[in-house]
Amino acid sequence: MPKVLLGIPHGGIVPGRMLSTVVGLIAHAPCPVTLVEREGCLGPDNRGILAALAVEHGFTHLWLVDGDTAPEPEALKKLLAHGKDIVGASYHYRRDPPQSVVKILTPEGEIRTPDPMPATLFQAHAIGSGCQLITVEALKRIPQPWFALKWGAHGQLEQADDLWFCNQARSVGIETWCDPTIKADHLGFKAY
């Protein structure tokens, strides 16, 4: 039976809706879930610490749910059912117009958002870490740092930690998958 660490990384302020979301996630979990929140100003560091805890304490899975993301209560059941090393939900950036955080690689080598979004589980180039299930066995194979930022020659951000993680996984042959049927809101001034 899976043993899941529900890791909630956040920067110190968590929307009130997150409390009811966490209660719903745990109440509908099909297996034992241990909740660990990690507060800090650096998202990649928060995620890395949660990943290390999952490995060190004998969990089978790390389920990252950002402190500003509200997945549907059945999300864990759906993610586990796929049996993938890395699988997550499609949700939107916190901006208008709505745009998914999921990325695919075109045959021409361009990284872009799928349009239209597939209707069922599909292999992605990268997914956001806001609602992402990772097996601990995959974490043991993925080179560290698991989550990092990549900066350009002129100080600009070239790669966020979500893409970094998926690239690290791909470097050892681990695929990233997306289930677009899972509803997950990205919380801000409104739900995106």
Side-chain angles (χ1 to χ4, degrees), residues 59-184:
F59 289 91
T60 61
H61 295 78
L62 169 64
W63 184 22
L64 291 172
V65 176
D66 283 355
D68 64 353
T69 307
E72 65 178 84
E74 298 290 330
L76 179 59
K77 180 179 179 182
K78 291 179 178 182
L79 292 170
L80 284 168
H82 295 304
K84 301 295 185 185
D85 282 319
I86 302 172
V87 61
S90 172
Y91 57 94
H92 294 119
Y93 291 104
R94 289 184 310 184
R95 63 179 183 230
D96 285 319
Q99 180 188 13
S100 175
V101 299
V102 176
K103 302 296 180 217
I104 59 167
L105 188 64
T106 67
E108 300 77 32
E110 177 189 1
I111 299 171
R112 66 172 181 81
T113 302
D115 186 24
M117 181 66 66
T120 60
L121 182 74
F122 66 97
Q123 187 176 345
H125 181 73
I127 58 175
S129 296
C131 181
Q132 179 182 62
L133 184 70
I134 308 158
T135 66
V136 168
E137 288 306 312
L139 286 171
K140 290 176 180 177
R141 292 177 41 212
I142 297 170
Q144 293 191 43
W146 291 306
F147 300 93
L149 303 173
K150 181 178 177 186
W151 300 96
H154 302 287
Q156 76 281 13
L157 180 64
E158 284 189 352
Q159 194 176 97
D161 61 310
D162 316 78
L163 180 56
W164 174 279
F165 177 75
C166 294
N167 285 339
Q168 291 290 85
R170 193 170 21 266
S171 77
V172 292
I174 297 173
E175 300 169 338
T176 298
W177 294 83
C178 177
D179 181 342
T181 69
I182 295 172
K183 180 169 174 36

Side-chain angles (χ1 to χ4, degrees), residues 10 17 22 34 36 40-41 46 51 56 70 94 98 112-114 137 148 167 175 188:
H10 62 89
R17 180 170 164 200
V22 169
T34 300
V36 178
C41 61
N46 292 344
E56 292 166 12
R94 289 184 310 184
R112 66 172 181 81
T113 302
E137 288 306 312
N167 285 339
E175 300 169 338

Side-chain angles (χ1 to χ4, degrees), residues 13-45:
I13 298 175
V14 178
R17 180 170 164 200
M18 195 54 193
L19 176 61
S20 60
T21 295
V22 169
V23 169
L25 295 176
I26 293 172
H28 288 86
C31 61
V33 172
T34 300
L35 171 67
V36 178
E37 60 86 27
R38 169 65 186 171
E39 179 183 346
C41 61
L42 297 174
D45 186 51

